[in-house]
Amino acid sequence: MPDIPRLLLSRDRNLYGLVPNELAKRVKAGALVRVRHGVYVDGPTWRGLKPWEQYRLRIQAAAETFEKPTVFARHSAASVLGIPTIGLHHPVQALTWKNDGGRSRAGVSRHFAARTGLAVVTVEGLLVTDRIRTVLDLAAFIPFTEAIAPLDHVLRRDLVRRLPALTKTDLEGGIGSIYSAAAGRRIRSAIAFADPASGSAGESWSRALIHVAGFDSPVLQHRFSDAAGLVGYTDFYWKESRVVGEFDGEEKYLKPEFLKGQTASQAVVAEKQRENRIRALGINVVRWDWADLKSRRLEDKLAAAGVGRRRTRSAIFDAQKPL
């Protein structure tokens, strides 16, 4: 994400020659945005951030207002650690050492954790649970379909942060006696399903939804060739159904690491040519995007394309909820 914008704390307003009424006026005019009580940021800068970047800034704003050192956890820790999660409107989440059921106050959700054995790291000046504890907490307390993206991510090398890939053994070793028996089962089920071959959070979420909906398991990153040579690698492939599935995320056409020197328009043309070559092999191609994942359109598209099912459709929305 871009550099964290400078935060303006109301307690420091005198340093900028501002009076309380002036802060309110600037917020009303859109020149400032109040990120949380007593914390402001430049309005145009805020509006130029992606939702997940705004979330990261809210975490920073919370840390600026806490009197005591605070350990951020779950989605907040994942945000700081650069681990992708599903969804855009998560509360700021932190740990509490008081076993009183947790509490939410001033826009921050608190979750109990014992200090013993808790692995904490400092990232960009913030205290967060380490990678293993973060993804295990997510797998324990969020729906299965949303827990897969963070797990898939840590099973791959993090090239941006230059972090090694974790193994499933690493993850399973972190469960210990921290979680309830039911939470432990949820975590182990998610770890077993996780796969580093998923190329993005969107692909991970797709794969989990495909599984819950009862479709046959696809092959990931399948290589296709024709008489002219290599066609490319597909996100999903169902050999028996002769169907290829492609997730169209924003990164495929915007991020430099995916464009590989091409412009966005060149990438779109190249993708269409690749699809035509795959179709020429007698393979059906079905594509979907984030909007399809947020609704039931993915399931409808796969069914219409003829993707086989290992069982009849389960109650997909119930299956996403932790037991």
Side-chain angles (χ1 to χ4, degrees):
M1 67 170 291
D3 292 339
I4 297 296
R6 183 184 298 276
L7 296 173
L8 172 62
L9 306 183
S10 59
R11 64 174 182 254
D12 296 333
R13 63 180 181 272
N14 292 334
L15 299 177
Y16 302 93
L18 300 174
V19 298
N21 287 344
E22 191 168 354
L23 286 176
K25 289 178 181 179
R26 293 193 181 191
V27 170
K28 187 175 181 179
L32 291 177
V33 169
R34 195 180 81 160
V35 181
R36 61 180 284 111
H37 181 70
V39 185
Y40 302 83
V41 68
D42 177 71
T45 300
W46 172 264
R47 289 185 286 273
L49 297 176
K50 300 290 188 181
W52 53 90
E53 295 168 342
Q54 293 178 348
Y55 178 61
R56 171 65 181 81
L57 194 57
R58 294 207 312 272
I59 299 167
Q60 185 72 35
E64 294 286 352
T65 60
F66 292 153
E67 294 181 0
K68 297 179 181 180
T70 299
V71 178
F72 293 95
R74 302 192 187 184
H75 290 93
S76 296
S79 174
V80 175
L81 291 166
I83 298 172
T85 57
I86 304 303
L88 299 176
H89 304 292
H90 305 294
V92 174
Q93 296 164 306
L95 298 182
T96 178
W97 317 122
K98 295 181 180 180
N99 192 5
D100 55 4
R103 62 189 185 279
S104 297
R105 185 162 55 90
V108 178
S109 294
R110 299 276 183 168
H111 307 284
F112 170 73
R115 292 176 182 268
T116 304
L118 180 66
V120 176
V121 296
T122 302
V123 180
E124 298 169 359
L126 299 175
L127 296 174
V128 297
T129 52
D130 73 348
R131 286 194 295 164
I132 292 177
R133 179 61 181 266
T134 297
V135 297
L136 293 184
D137 278 354
L138 290 171
F141 300 114
I142 67 174
F144 169 85
T145 51
E146 297 177 14
I148 301 306
L151 289 168
D152 284 353
H153 177 82
V154 299
L155 292 176
R156 301 188 298 268
R157 284 191 305 140
D158 188 328
L159 299 178
V160 174
R161 295 176 179 266
R162 298 180 181 178
L163 296 173
L166 298 175
T167 67
K168 292 191 176 185
T169 300
D170 294 330
L171 298 177
E172 290 168 354
I175 298 174
S177 59
I178 298 172
Y179 304 96
S180 67
R185 289 194 294 271
R186 289 195 296 272
I187 294 170
R188 289 184 175 89
S189 177
I191 291 174
F193 185 76
D195 192 328
S198 277
S200 68
E203 291 179 35
S204 296
W205 193 17
S206 299
R207 199 174 88 259
L209 291 172
I210 289 166
H211 175 75
V212 169
F215 289 103
D216 292 337
S217 298
V219 176
L220 306 184
Q221 310 304 325
H222 182 76
R223 175 190 171 110
F224 278 94
S225 298
D226 60 13
L230 175 67
V231 177
Y233 295 84
T234 57
D235 297 339
F236 306 94
Y237 176 49
W238 289 270
K239 184 176 181 179
E240 290 188 5
S241 304
R242 296 188 66 76
V243 175
V244 156
E246 291 285 284
F247 170 70
D248 285 331
E250 180 181 87
E251 62 272 6
K252 184 176 288 187
Y253 305 109
L254 293 180
K255 289 189 176 181
E257 59 266 34
F258 291 91
L259 291 174
K260 297 178 180 178
Q262 296 177 311
T263 65
S265 59
Q266 288 172 333
V268 170
V269 171
E271 187 68 14
K272 183 61 178 176
Q273 292 173 339
R274 187 177 74 113
E275 179 178 325
N276 290 338
R277 290 173 68 185
I278 292 174
R279 290 185 185 277
L281 296 173
I283 306 294
N284 191 10
V285 179
V286 58
R287 313 187 78 91
W288 61 86
D289 56 21
W290 286 108
D292 296 320
L293 298 182
K294 295 174 184 177
S295 66
R296 276 190 53 182
R297 289 201 297 270
L298 170 60
E299 184 179 355
D300 294 339
K301 285 187 173 186
L302 295 181
V307 175
R309 275 185 150 126
R310 66 184 187 280
R311 55 175 168 75
T312 57
R313 182 185 184 276
S314 64
I316 183 169
F317 294 107
D318 290 339
Q320 293 184 57
K321 297 177 182 178
L323 299 175

